[in-house]
Amino acid sequence: MTETTVNAGIAHGLFTEGDKIADTRAPAGPIAETWTRRKFEAALVNPANRRKLSVIIVGTGLAGGAAAATLGEAGYNVKAFCFQDSPRRAHSIAAQGGINAAKNYKEDGDSVYRLFYDTVKGGDYRARETNVYRLAEVSANIIDQCVAQGVPFAREYGGLLDNRSFGGVQVSRTFYARGQTGQQLLIGAYQALERQVAAGTVEQFTRHEMLEVIVSEGRARGIIARDLVTGEIETHLADAVVLASGGYGNVFFLSTNAMGSNVTASWRAHRKGAYMANPCYTQIHPTCIPVSGDHQSKLTLMSESLRNDGRIWVPKRREDCDKDPRQIPEEDRDYYLERIYPSFGNLVPRDIASRQAKNVCDEGRGVGPMVGDFRRGVYLDFTDAIARLGKAAVEAKYGNLFDMYARITGENPYEVPMRIYPAVHYVMGGLWVDYDLQSTIPGLFVTGEANFSDHGANRLGASALMQGLADGYFVLPNTIRDYLARGPFEPLSADAPAVVEARSSVEERTRRLLAIQGERSVDSFHKELGHIMWEYCGMERSEEGLLKAIDLIRGLREEFWRNVRVLGAGDTLNQSLEKAGRVADFLELGELMCIDALHRRESCGGHFRAESQTEDGEALRHDDEFLYVAAWEFAGGTGDGEMGAPVLHKEDLVYEAIELKQRSYK
């Protein structure tokens, strides 16, 4: 690999390289003792002083809701913001399959270390060891917490909590509540949050969207938010700010994310100085209902848990793709995951299952209706499971998922195999944080999917819920106190320069969007951006494609600020204006994602470069050159989408508790 090729982004003037960055918060020593030592070393805040301190939390999903409830219970003054009409509508509710924890209830060899190892390996050795070990360590506490809240986890006949398996592991460690685990966990966090609202320690702001972070004297001191019902721009001040605002998968337009999910809170922080880490690490989930045409604006997830009992296959011959799958004999079916990966079979990690589905469809062996010029689908078949377990048992495990599939597709999955295809589902990239979950802006903490810290280049199934609740219930409350112990900070008035500047920038941006009065809708720009991202920064990336994508995004962004049409006014309910602000941020993020993917000329996890693969088409890492976190610094820009070349800061990844090696699931 030549120096010129490695630095293609620099050669094209797309980015510059700055000083290295490091996490200085994790104590040195044995990794099994790191979290215990950090909790002890973190400064304490006595109960009387907590009443004098205030924290703003943006987002009320599992990470944000749990954090708000826990900090409120501790006695801090908390303001919790969400753009939904209730915290119960946070996107965490959409998680289906389960939550991981190292309880070893099945006595199948699980342990904290094995969960740690599986997570690092699943992330293709691109995660920070200390953070991942802590996640595995506190996982068991999460289950105890949720059971105490009354979360109705599935149980075995004798009353013990049941487990099932997810991709990338060979043990059963996933706790679940049928196919609606996220919903049940969110209700648990929600009831804890509402208890603190009633107690007066948490003030809740629904239908509010954060549009700017206030940074005064180098510290995060509040946010500017818009009341989505009245249109009023509001200033909220505090001693610290926590972003728990989720991921940015909707940059692709079509994803399994809720329609309102966006990057604005994180991107506004990025523009103010918070580094964005590994933005190109996006997860394509292998089990989603396939795209059916150009009319769609959303895709639907089918839980990974279905891969426990469902078998994935396509016809061996192209000419059989039109046939009723029930008429294709067993010897003419290719159970390709079981064939290629005999050790893990259908439970390989998501990135691998997704790429193999793409490969067989690219070969012309996809199933289902033609979409564009080829068929985008593979079968997920429960015939064997129903014969082995009985329909009633399958229905007890997966009934709500089967019902959802039937309502959307009009097909009965008990009788005809499901059709699935990969779709954007999650992002491993996010704002850079240290071991304390603090960003590069002091006083700005980031939790859950909004940060980059735990999953490397690929997240294992059932680990998002684990991270969200770990961060919210157990990690952030123990680390943010080290920062808050230095407060209360000097009061900040509404007419302080930093507050006035932040508020003015929001008001000016709103005026500009409304004044353009162009000819294209916001959705048309979002859809075009999504097409660019999927084609050139999706399941497979190449230098040629990424350079083309960057040019296309820049042109699209220029046209957006010249030709978008935002209807309505700013001082009232205006969903067109909401979308415009979010898409404007996606247009900037999309370019950075492509630059990040271009600079990382290796394949790892969900980031697959066509130029870097083994002879049999597997991802090929280059640890000698890319064993680092890519943390990007915003280099300035104008309000109309002009951006300077971002600055790359590398955080070296050091593996001491795990041997670094090429991933294999065969």
Side-chain angles (χ1 to χ4, degrees):
M1 190 179 302
T2 67
E3 185 70 18
T4 303
T5 305
V6 171
N7 295 317
I10 292 180
H12 288 83
L14 296 176
F15 70 90
T16 61
E17 191 166 330
D19 296 334
K20 286 192 174 184
I21 191 173
D23 170 31
T24 60
R25 292 294 182 176
I31 197 168
E33 300 173 8
T34 302
W35 180 227
T36 299
R37 289 187 57 194
R38 181 60 192 135
K39 285 188 291 183
F40 177 76
E41 292 173 1
L44 300 175
V45 182
N46 80 55
N49 285 341
R50 294 173 201 164
R51 296 192 292 269
K52 304 173 186 176
L53 294 163
S54 57
V55 180
I56 285 172
I57 297 179
V58 180
T60 55
L62 290 182
T70 307
L71 293 176
E73 180 84 33
Y76 298 101
N77 298 298
V78 179
K79 288 184 176 181
F81 292 80
C82 65
F83 64 74
Q84 298 91 349
D85 58 2
S86 166
R88 280 190 59 183
R89 293 186 182 275
H91 185 57
S92 299
I93 201 171
Q96 297 170 351
I99 177 172
N100 289 329
K103 286 282 200 179
N104 196 30
Y105 281 174
K106 294 288 187 180
E107 292 291 341
D108 54 2
D110 201 11
S111 64
V112 168
Y113 187 87
R114 189 174 296 281
L115 175 53
F116 161 60
Y117 173 81
D118 287 344
T119 304
V120 172
K121 178 184 175 183
D124 217 351
Y125 302 90
R126 289 296 178 263
R128 188 190 290 153
E129 265 195 346
T130 50
N131 290 59
V132 180
Y133 193 92
R134 176 177 62 190
L135 177 65
E137 187 178 352
V138 304
S139 65
N141 297 339
I142 299 170
I143 303 304
D144 296 340
Q145 169 90 357
C146 294
V147 169
Q149 291 174 335
V151 172
F153 286 122
R155 294 180 180 268
E156 296 177 332
Y157 178 77
L160 298 177
L161 297 180
D162 196 14
N163 293 126
R164 55 190 177 196
S165 298
F166 262 57
V169 304
Q170 293 178 307
V171 297
S172 295
R173 66 162 66 102
T174 304
F175 296 78
Y176 64 98
R178 211 177 183 198
Q180 49 185 248
T181 313
Q183 178 179 351
Q184 298 303 325
L185 293 174
L186 186 60
I187 290 172
Y190 171 74
Q191 70 182 13
L193 172 62
E194 292 305 304
R195 179 172 176 269
Q196 295 309 310
V197 172
T201 61
V202 176
E203 187 176 2
Q204 188 170 280
F205 295 83
T206 59
R207 301 300 301 276
H208 279 67
E209 183 169 24
M210 172 190 149
L211 297 179
E212 191 58 273
V213 61
I214 298 168
V215 179
S216 177
E217 298 181 351
R219 298 178 183 273
R221 293 300 306 275
I223 66 171
I224 305 296
R226 181 172 182 269
D227 185 322
L228 299 181
V229 177
T230 68
E232 181 182 356
I233 305 298
E234 302 176 359
T235 300
H236 296 271
L237 303 173
D239 293 302
V241 176
V242 178
L243 298 186
S245 48
Y248 48 83
N250 275 348
V251 68
F252 289 88
F253 185 69
L254 286 178
S255 81
T256 66
N257 289 183
M259 294 290 289
S261 297
N262 63 82
V263 76
T264 291
S266 292
W267 194 253
R268 296 290 103 192
H270 174 59
R271 289 179 65 102
K272 279 292 183 73
Y275 292 178
M276 181 69 76
N278 302 332
C280 77
Y281 288 169
T282 53
Q283 179 159 91
I284 314 294
H285 198 295
T287 53
C288 302
I289 296 178
V291 173
S292 58
D294 292 336
H295 61 282
Q296 283 179 276
S297 57
K298 176 151 183 5
L299 297 176
T300 303
L301 170 72
M302 298 306 294
S303 170
E304 181 170 322
S305 63
L306 295 170
R307 290 199 273 150
N308 273 273
D309 292 305
R311 300 180 70 193
I312 296 172
W313 64 276
V314 291
K316 290 182 178 178
R317 300 191 301 265
R318 295 185 184 186
E319 52 266 32
D320 288 343
C321 292
D322 278 330
K323 291 183 179 179
D324 184 323
R326 294 168 292 186
Q327 304 304 315
I328 300 176
E330 192 73 15
E331 61 269 19
D332 291 335
R333 301 179 178 188
D334 180 11
Y335 295 92
Y336 57 90
L337 292 179
E338 299 174 24
R339 170 174 55 82
I340 301 171
Y341 308 101
S343 294
F344 284 76
N346 295 298
L347 286 174
V348 292
R350 292 173 176 178
D351 59 312
I352 292 174
S354 293
R355 278 198 297 275
Q356 292 299 345
K358 178 182 183 297
N359 290 343
V360 295
C361 290
D362 288 349
E363 292 170 4
R365 294 193 289 142
V367 299
M370 297 286 286
V371 177
D373 54 355
F374 68 103
R375 304 176 195 274
R376 303 169 191 258
V378 300
Y379 290 125
L380 179 60
D381 195 339
F382 283 84
T383 303
D384 288 353
I386 292 172
R388 183 179 75 253
L389 303 172
K391 181 180 177 182
V394 172
E395 187 173 7
K397 278 185 169 182
Y398 310 115
N400 65 312
L401 299 172
F402 277 48
D403 292 345
M404 181 170 66
Y405 181 88
R407 286 197 300 271
I408 292 172
T409 65
E411 300 172 3
N412 184 348
Y414 292 104
E415 299 176 359
V416 181
M418 290 182 179
R419 286 178 295 108
I420 57 170
Y421 193 71
V424 174
H425 175 62
Y426 187 89
V427 295
M428 287 71 66
L431 293 180
W432 185 92
V433 293
D434 61 18
Y435 192 66
D436 284 357
L437 303 184
Q438 186 170 214
S439 72
T440 47
I441 300 176
L444 180 70
F445 294 78
V446 191
T447 63
E449 190 179 357
N451 75 32
F452 88 102
S453 67
D454 292 347
H455 305 296
N458 175 67
R459 177 176 67 76
L460 292 183
S463 288
L465 303 184
M466 176 174 60
Q467 185 203 353
L469 291 180
D471 285 356
Y473 282 136
F474 301 107
V475 179
L476 182 75
N478 279 297
T479 60
I480 197 172
R481 60 180 165 85
D482 188 63
Y483 178 81
L484 292 173
R486 306 168 205 169
F489 301 103
E490 282 292 321
L492 199 62
S493 64
D495 58 358
V499 179
V500 173
E501 182 275 330
R503 186 182 181 102
S504 297
S505 69
V506 170
E507 293 171 342
E508 174 59 24
R509 192 168 190 248
T510 300
R511 283 193 294 269
R512 290 204 61 192
L513 287 169
L514 291 168
I516 296 170
Q517 291 296 301
E519 297 178 351
R520 287 186 61 178
S521 70
V522 175
D523 281 347
S524 73
F525 282 100
H526 194 182
K527 191 171 186 178
E528 185 173 343
L529 172 64
H531 177 75
I532 295 169
M533 296 300 295
W534 179 255
E535 289 298 317
Y536 304 111
C537 197
M539 275 194 282
E540 182 173 303
R541 296 104 181 249
S542 68
E543 181 175 318
E544 179 184 5
L546 290 165
L547 288 170
K548 180 177 181 179
I550 291 166
D551 284 341
L552 290 172
I553 292 169
R554 288 177 170 178
L556 187 64
R557 191 168 64 237
E558 184 277 330
E559 184 186 356
F560 175 89
W561 284 102
R562 173 175 48 82
N563 196 33
V564 72
R565 185 173 185 83
V566 181
L567 303 175
D571 58 354
T572 185
L573 175 70
N574 188 340
Q575 291 188 320
S576 180
L577 177 60
E578 294 170 31
K579 290 180 183 178
R582 296 166 187 169
V583 172
D585 290 333
F586 278 142
L587 284 163
E588 295 184 2
L589 167 70
E591 179 178 330
L592 182 61
M593 290 173 65
C594 292
I595 291 173
D596 186 38
L598 177 67
H599 111 276
R600 189 174 286 276
R601 195 179 181 275
E602 66 163 352
S603 294
C604 55
H607 169 64
F608 189 81
R609 283 290 296 266
E611 304 93 335
S612 183
Q613 52 185 304
T614 63
E615 290 183 0
D616 53 356
E618 298 291 348
L620 179 62
R621 296 196 324 266
H622 298 294
D623 296 333
D624 55 331
E625 297 183 66
F626 296 103
L627 190 61
Y628 60 79
V629 174
W632 296 92
E633 178 185 1
F634 186 73
T638 63
D640 57 0
E642 288 292 324
M643 294 166 58
V647 181
L648 170 63
H649 300 272
K650 299 177 180 178
E651 179 199 341
D652 291 333
L653 292 171
V654 179
Y655 289 96
E656 297 175 343
I658 286 180
E659 179 188 357
L660 188 66
K661 55 187 177 183
Q662 290 289 338
R663 212 172 43 152
S664 175
Y665 290 93
K666 293 187 175 180

